[in-house]
Amino acid sequence: MAKNLSRRGVLRTGLAGAFVFTFYLPVRAANEPEEAPDSTQGKFAPNAFIRIDRTGKITLVMPSVEMGQGVYTAIPMIIAEELDADFSQVAFEHAPPDEKLYANPMLGVQATGNSNSIRAFWKPLRTAGATARAMLVEAAAQQWKVDPQSCTAASSVVTHTASGRKLSYGQLVDAAMKVAPPKDVTLKDPKDFVLIGKPLKRLDTPNKTDGKVIYGIDAMLPGMKFATIMASPVKGGKVSHVDQTEAMKVPGVEKVIVLDDMVAVVGAHFWAAKKGLDALTVIWADGANGTIDSAHIWEDIRAASRKDGLVAKQRGNAAKALGEGEKIELAYEMPFLAHATMEPMNCTVQLKPDSCEIWLGTQIMARVQSTAAQLTGLPLEKVIVHNHLLGGGFGRRLEPDMSLKAIRVAQQLNGEPVKVVWTREEDLRHDLYRPVYRDVIEASLKDGKIKGWKYKVTGSSVVARWLPPAFKAFHGIDFDAIDSAADTPYDLPDFRVEYVRCEPPGMNTGFWRGVGPNNNVFAIECFMDELAKKAGKDPIAFRLDHLHGSPRHQAVLKLVREKSNWGSPLPERAGRGVSVQPSFASYIATVVEAEVDHNGDVKLRRVVCCVDTGIAVNPDTIEAQLQGGLIFGLTAALYGDVPVKHGRVQLSNFNDYRMLRIDQTPPIEVHVVKSGEAPGGIGETGATAGPPALRNALFAATGIPLRRMPVDRDVLSGRKKA
Amino acid sequence: MTMTLRINGQEKTFDAPPDMPLLWVLRDVLGMTGTKFGCGIAQCGACTVHVDGKPVRSCLLPVNAVGDRAVTTIEGIGNTDAGARVQKAWLDIEVIQCGYCQSGQIMSAAALLAATPHPDDSDINAAMAGNICRCGTYVRIREAIKRAAGEREEAKNG
């Protein structure tokens, strides 16, 4: 690498400050493509996803982005399966911004989220692969003057069965370019799959072991400046006064940028920018949100949750059925949560009078481009966006705020590229947080069975801001906020779900791994445990009594009962808790085993998770996603909270926004059920599964029914009332 | 200030403020971006490198405190026996998801195996608890460390 650097190195001198810099910068990182992205020159490129060159190398353009969830392996597997490609010849490429070619069919926009990639692209990508295969076979058949039906394809080679003649895909590139694509293609019978269903090795991981991988934060350009920013700590606040005297004395600091609602320091490296920022004196005019505290936010949402909501779904007569038997009404409250991707927010921009070039990792390529065009006034095609592998997404990179802020910094420079990296503190304080929610559930119990059921969710609508047409189409109901509540799998003939929109003052809200189901599955599964206790039933038996309409849920629940040794003895103050979820078209049952000491500290002992996600494209990835998703959810349940005081988020870094660590992580077993159904979503699911199962384990261990997240150790120890 | 560091066996001469943390020298001055910025306060371990074989958080280590000690980064760890075994085990077990923290995880694990060839669970906890993984790959990290330790054994016996 050192050799490469000096070969590519450029000398930079004369920076501000008293010293001279010898600056080594790679022109472009070694593993970024040399050729233009999505080049189709001399390649067989039958559609937006497949490019085959004359050497037989197959480059697949990824309509979804890779943020750890394994989609850069699963998507190639799906295409290669129907293409009958040699998987060892397959490479991936990030898609350019293009809503027409790469929009997710379920979302309608070019975005990666909601565990939608495999669900939405399953059919289109199989069709794309099968179409390309048919064209390659046709090209071979024409050369041999035989019926294409008499040819087969496997591992990137077409064979004429009768004569044994063979042509590789690489040899067929030029001929296949001239073949008209067929109108209809037959997709494989799943029993004939050779790739799908196998735990194939990930394509994105080898470069992640030796430092070669390039994330957005690693973008390096000749003459690049480095900057860091501080936005108004209060939403809507403005810069009132800045003293930059001390900042400008910091060696390497080149410029202090003062905008109406943020400041930036530009320097020769991040360290100079960061020291410069720390040396700035900034006085903010907080504006109306400067008086907001967490208590106000909770008062607001509690008041809103007492109102009648819009009816999202109903059947039977919930009001009448609630009058029969014993009625129970409980409320559950969920906190704000920050995303805290390991790669802090960042974006590199080079803005010239007639162009804007952007380097980052994003879940929304096209939106980064369109919002940049809007901000700069440039035509869309003059905004070039380079995507990268993401150092975590979790919904945070579904927003373009990091690119817009970086462009605003670049607007104050003279066309030099600038890499804007946020400190972790800025990253935690300027997130778009998982909203606070309050869920009020009423149910009546008669003879051990649920009669009436009324569920009311109150919270911010992320969809209303992020995808306004969808909010309008559902007449003011946020489809995500009611997800897994409106379609709960339990047998509830007299059923009503209401939605109350309540925007928290002074806070931006966004999608967070697990999205709406995190809230709804938590409330419903906690409530089911409380109902089971009232009915004097075992929590799993009680659920099975109400799952006659969903055999797939029955199956995973029975499996987790067996695999978790449900009912076997545990030490004092230890318990098992279960949760069941219908979310993202995957059927999941989870058992968490945990114990609580007398101080209220929780120890996770074991997690068992059983999943029926339909056809498991790559079962190893599914296991990994559930292991990791469960830890993501359990982290939130144990620690996740975002307190607000005087309109300011009261977080600084990982010291007070805590993460589960390896020494607290229990063994996690994942059992993937074989299924022939269409694939479900998986990336979000573990985050949804963990918290209710943990809470129910703590309920079993202590008898204390926690109804607010995160887990309150003072309540578990008895120091404080629930 | 002009300084020389020995990084992955090579001498690198550069100018930087003496209090600049090694992390930013590696990333922004030398363009060695494999070492990652995660928190800046030694809470997450993403920036872990080896100084004379010991794992350190480069985000808090002033560059002038390195002296003539040998620095090893993720770009060079594959040239050590423990590092190569860890990298291989990481791929065999398919530990990695987003991968952003994994430079630091691999550096911590390689240092552990170099010092403690047969770590038990408490050794692994002690060595690895300083490295946060937001994707939650801990279960597989533990498994991969044990795999890497076992492979050394196989190599010796075989």
Side-chain angles (χ1 to χ4, degrees):
Chain A
M1 175 142 192
K3 199 171 146 206
N4 266 348
L5 283 179
S6 45
R7 180 171 60 79
R8 292 160 177 244
V10 289
L11 186 71
R12 260 179 51 160
T13 53
L15 296 169
F19 53 93
V20 176
F21 250 75
T22 309
F23 220 88
Y24 293 98
L25 286 176
V27 170
R28 184 142 304 175
N31 64 348
E32 291 205 20
E34 295 287 333
E35 61 186 332
D38 197 26
S39 161
T40 55
Q41 193 73 35
K43 291 176 189 164
F44 172 51
N47 51 51
F49 308 107
I50 300 171
R51 283 91 182 85
I52 305 177
D53 74 13
R54 293 182 185 111
T55 70
K57 186 184 167 196
I58 301 173
T59 304
L60 301 177
V61 184
M62 300 291 102
S64 294
V65 306
E66 178 61 66
M67 40 193 169
Q69 82 278 39
V71 79
Y72 274 20
T73 307
I75 284 179
M77 285 173 71
I78 293 170
I79 300 176
E81 179 70 64
E82 295 286 352
L83 180 58
D84 282 319
D86 175 357
F87 200 65
S88 70
Q89 289 291 301
V90 168
F92 59 77
E93 191 170 277
H94 307 295
D98 192 324
E99 295 278 22
K100 280 199 197 78
L101 293 179
Y102 302 110
N104 180 295
M106 283 172 78
L107 294 168
V109 291
Q110 188 182 0
T112 306
N114 204 37
S115 291
N116 267 347
S117 296
I118 301 304
R119 285 192 283 166
F121 284 112
W122 174 242
K123 196 88 183 282
L125 292 181
R126 288 178 69 195
T127 305
T131 303
R133 175 195 182 277
M135 293 164 76
L136 289 156
V137 169
E138 174 68 29
Q142 281 177 12
Q143 288 195 22
W144 296 325
K145 301 193 170 51
V146 300
D147 180 357
Q149 295 293 334
S150 65
C151 302
T152 59
S155 202
S156 291
V157 176
V158 182
T159 304
H160 180 237
T161 319
S163 65
R165 279 175 292 184
K166 289 177 191 292
L167 281 169
S168 72
Y169 285 3
Q171 291 170 310
L172 288 165
V173 162
D174 292 286
M177 282 189 219
K178 297 179 194 103
V179 173
K183 284 202 178 65
D184 293 304
V185 288
T186 310
L187 301 181
K188 281 187 184 174
D189 186 319
K191 74 174 169 37
D192 298 326
F193 286 160
V194 294
L195 300 174
I196 290 171
K198 297 221 162 53
L200 296 188
K201 287 288 162 197
R202 289 176 65 134
L203 299 178
D204 63 318
T205 47
N207 280 349
K208 292 176 173 175
T209 62
D210 56 11
K212 285 204 187 83
V213 60
I214 300 294
Y215 300 92
I217 202 168
D218 302 325
M220 283 291 199
L221 297 159
M224 187 165 81
K225 311 274 185 198
F226 297 79
T228 193
I229 61 169
M230 183 191 283
S232 167
V234 179
K235 184 180 171 182
K238 301 284 178 207
V239 175
S240 167
H241 174 77
V242 176
D243 181 349
Q244 50 180 270
T245 319
E246 294 304 314
M248 289 306 295
K249 289 180 192 162
V250 173
V253 167
E254 298 174 19
K255 192 177 170 93
V256 173
I257 294 171
V258 180
L259 301 172
D260 65 333
D261 60 351
M262 71 179 222
V263 295
V265 178
V266 182
H269 37 68
F270 178 87
W271 178 242
K274 162 81 167 61
K275 272 188 87 176
L277 194 76
D278 290 345
L280 275 185
T281 306
V282 186
I283 297 168
W284 300 96
D286 288 350
N289 288 325
T291 57
I292 304 286
D293 291 350
S294 296
H296 300 129
I297 292 166
W298 283 108
E299 277 166 30
D300 271 19
I301 194 169
R302 285 173 189 146
S305 73
R306 285 189 281 273
K307 292 189 278 196
D308 287 335
L310 297 171
V311 180
K313 189 143 187 189
Q314 62 178 331
R315 56 179 174 255
N317 188 337
K320 183 164 169 280
L322 282 168
E324 299 166 25
E326 186 185 2
K327 193 178 156 195
I328 300 109
E329 177 180 338
L330 293 169
Y332 299 88
E333 295 182 343
M334 301 295 264
F336 289 119
L337 294 168
H339 297 81
T341 59
M342 287 309 293
E343 179 192 2
M345 291 302 104
N346 67 87
C347 179
T348 297
V349 176
Q350 183 161 28
L351 183 64
K352 293 179 176 166
D354 58 352
S355 71
C356 179
E357 204 167 349
I358 298 170
W359 292 260
L360 83 172
T362 181
Q363 298 172 247
I364 44 158
M365 279 292 275
R367 196 173 287 196
V368 165
Q369 186 191 38
S370 63
T371 53
Q374 249 168 24
L375 175 63
T376 57
L378 290 165
L380 203 60
E381 66 274 14
K382 294 294 179 189
V383 178
I384 298 150
V385 188
H386 304 274
N387 208 358
H388 293 75
L389 297 171
L390 279 61
F394 316 124
R396 180 65 182 87
R397 292 186 158 96
L398 281 169
E399 308 289 344
D401 58 319
M402 74 297 286
S403 49
L404 295 174
K405 284 176 175 172
I407 292 167
R408 292 175 68 205
V409 171
Q411 284 174 331
Q412 305 302 313
L413 302 176
N414 298 312
E416 313 95 313
V418 59
K419 171 151 67 178
V420 181
V421 175
W422 300 17
T423 61
R424 176 59 65 190
E425 290 79 2
E426 185 74 7
D427 179 279
L428 288 173
R429 291 169 188 162
H430 291 88
D431 202 343
L432 294 95
Y433 303 92
R434 196 288 298 274
V436 290
Y437 287 106
R438 186 164 203 267
D439 310 300
V440 183
I441 321 185
E442 298 167 53
S444 54
L445 264 182
K446 198 174 167 190
D447 306 325
K449 296 275 280 186
I450 302 168
K451 298 295 290 178
W453 177 278
K454 185 182 166 197
Y455 183 95
K456 182 161 61 180
V457 53
T458 303
S460 164
S461 174
V462 181
V463 170
R465 173 182 63 80
W466 198 89
L467 203 60
F471 191 65
K472 221 176 139 197
F474 287 92
H475 310 289
I477 290 169
D478 182 317
F479 71 83
D480 172 58
I482 60 162
D483 191 351
S484 300
D487 54 341
T488 172
Y490 295 117
D491 308 323
L492 301 166
D494 295 293
F495 172 89
R496 183 181 173 96
V497 174
E498 294 183 9
Y499 172 68
V500 180
R501 185 179 178 192
C502 171
E503 294 302 331
M507 294 290 280
N508 293 313
T509 60
F511 294 119
W512 191 92
R513 188 179 193 180
V515 284
N518 275 359
N519 170 53
N520 296 321
V521 170
F522 181 82
I524 291 167
E525 289 304 295
C526 294
F527 193 63
M528 287 299 283
D529 256 40
E530 306 210 39
L531 291 178
K533 193 170 186 180
K534 273 257 188 277
K537 294 269 183 80
D538 168 78
I540 289 185
F542 183 74
R543 283 171 173 80
L544 287 171
D545 276 350
H546 292 87
L547 280 171
H548 296 292
S550 182
R552 293 174 78 184
H553 280 109
Q554 287 247 1
V556 288
L557 189 50
K558 285 176 182 168
L559 185 63
V560 85
R561 179 170 63 185
E562 176 203 326
K563 299 288 184 189
S564 67
N565 313 101
W566 185 262
S568 66
L570 284 171
E572 207 191 331
R573 289 182 73 79
R576 292 189 189 91
V578 68
S579 71
V580 177
Q581 65 192 55
S583 322
F584 315 104
S586 287
Y587 301 74
I588 297 179
T590 308
V591 168
V592 168
E593 195 178 300
E595 67 185 80
V596 183
D597 69 14
H598 289 283
N599 196 36
D601 284 323
V602 173
K603 185 185 169 204
L604 301 169
R605 294 167 53 96
R606 185 186 178 204
V607 181
V608 183
C609 180
C610 296
V611 52
D612 169 0
T613 186
I615 292 171
V617 173
N618 186 325
D620 188 59
T621 305
I622 286 158
E623 182 195 270
Q625 280 306 291
L626 279 160
Q627 289 171 332
L630 283 158
I631 289 171
F632 200 89
L634 293 168
T635 298
L638 287 170
Y639 305 120
D641 197 7
V642 181
V644 181
K645 198 174 176 185
H646 306 315
R648 289 159 166 80
V649 167
Q650 303 293 298
L651 294 176
S652 57
N653 205 313
F654 288 125
N655 57 316
D656 53 14
Y657 194 67
R658 286 182 63 187
M659 297 292 137
L660 204 72
R661 292 170 184 269
I662 196 170
D663 55 334
Q664 302 158 290
T665 299
I668 302 177
E669 291 163 41
V670 178
H671 301 275
V672 181
V673 173
K674 275 232 181 290
S675 165
E677 302 286 335
I682 214 70
E684 318 265 3
T685 55
T688 301
L694 170 62
R695 180 273 186 191
N696 288 338
L698 301 176
F699 187 32
T702 64
I704 297 170
L706 298 175
R707 297 192 186 112
R708 265 176 83 81
M709 286 285 104
V711 168
D712 189 332
R713 288 154 186 76
D714 288 335
V715 172
L716 286 182
S717 67
R719 289 189 293 267
K720 197 168 109 186
K721 256 192 73 149
Chain B
M1 185 173 145
T2 302
M3 276 174 275
T4 300
L5 285 185
R6 198 149 42 90
I7 304 174
N8 301 330
Q10 294 191 327
E11 307 244 310
K12 303 260 185 187
T13 300
F14 53 88
D15 283 298
D19 65 339
M20 185 169 174
L22 177 60
L23 170 66
W24 299 110
V25 172
L26 292 171
R27 288 184 57 82
D28 290 0
V29 178
L30 298 172
M32 298 174 70
T33 54
T35 305
K36 298 303 185 212
F37 165 55
C39 69
I41 60 165
Q43 284 281 316
C44 80
C47 67
T48 305
V49 300
H50 293 184
V51 175
D52 273 354
K54 301 268 187 317
V56 298
R57 311 300 182 211
S58 65
C59 72
L60 285 189
L61 179 69
V63 62
N64 71 344
V66 177
D68 57 3
R69 292 181 291 168
V71 176
T72 309
T73 70
I74 188 68
E75 288 92 346
I77 195 65
N79 296 325
T80 69
D81 169 57
R85 278 186 286 122
V86 168
Q87 287 173 327
K88 180 174 181 298
W90 247 239
L91 292 175
D92 287 347
I93 302 288
E94 205 72 275
V95 169
I96 303 170
Q97 295 187 27
C98 93
Y100 190 81
C101 74
Q102 297 294 348
S103 293
Q105 304 279 3
I106 288 168
M107 295 306 287
S108 290
L112 166 65
L113 285 184
T116 311
H118 299 289
D120 61 17
D121 280 328
S122 63
D123 296 326
I124 294 173
N125 285 345
M128 303 303 295
N131 289 79
I132 292 173
C133 173
R134 191 65 170 131
C135 298
T137 62
Y138 302 128
V139 173
R140 292 184 178 206
I141 287 174
R142 185 180 300 282
E143 197 184 339
I145 290 173
K146 290 178 178 174
R147 167 77 67 99
E151 274 181 8
R152 182 170 185 274
E153 206 52 21
E154 278 163 30
K156 248 197 300 189
N157 297 339

